[in-house]
Amino acid sequence: MALNQKVKHLIQKLGEAIHETVSESEDIAVVVKNIREEGFDVLLMLEATIGLNEVESAPDQAQDATEEIEGPFTNSDLSFLKSLRISVNENDRSEPDDTASA
């Protein structure tokens, strides 16, 4: 599945929104404060995995071919997502495991 620039941008915005939500959460801030009052420093690291499944669209809803970017994310895209602790699995459809039936 090739992701176009708009989808890549939306995934980045999703990561930023998740980060902002966690950073601004009063509930999290209260618990972190309580932990610090008990004499501990807090390092909070979250990881989000975003899976995409392409939805089949009708021919009249097909995207403009000029928007499509062939291939996976660039190294720069992956570095940015990794900095937000987001891993992206571009293999949205897994192959059936033949060994399971043996």
Side-chain angles (χ1 to χ4, degrees):
M1 170 178 73
L3 299 178
N4 64 36
Q5 288 297 96
K6 183 176 182 181
V7 173
K8 287 181 185 181
H9 178 72
L10 290 171
I11 290 170
Q12 289 176 348
K13 287 185 67 85
L14 177 59
E16 291 166 3
I18 292 168
H19 174 75
E20 185 175 318
T21 300
V22 171
S23 297
E24 295 179 0
S25 169
E26 289 183 27
D27 293 334
I28 292 173
V30 168
V31 174
V32 168
K33 180 181 175 227
N34 292 340
I35 293 171
R36 287 186 175 145
E37 288 173 352
E38 294 296 319
F40 294 91
D41 196 13
V42 178
L43 173 63
L44 179 63
M45 295 176 54
L46 303 175
E47 182 175 327
T49 301
I50 300 171
L52 303 176
N53 290 316
E54 193 166 11
V55 178
E56 301 267 338
S57 61
D60 61 330
Q61 295 174 335
Q63 293 180 346
D64 184 359
T66 60
E67 289 185 19
E68 289 295 321
I69 303 297
E70 294 299 322
F73 285 120
T74 65
N75 287 337
S76 178
D77 296 334
L78 293 173
S79 293
F80 175 75
L81 292 172
K82 185 176 180 182
S83 74
L84 296 173
R85 305 282 190 246
I86 298 173
S87 61
V88 177
N89 183 0
E90 291 189 65
N91 300 325
D92 62 335
R93 295 187 183 109
S94 60
E95 295 287 323
D97 187 3
D98 291 336
T99 60
S101 62

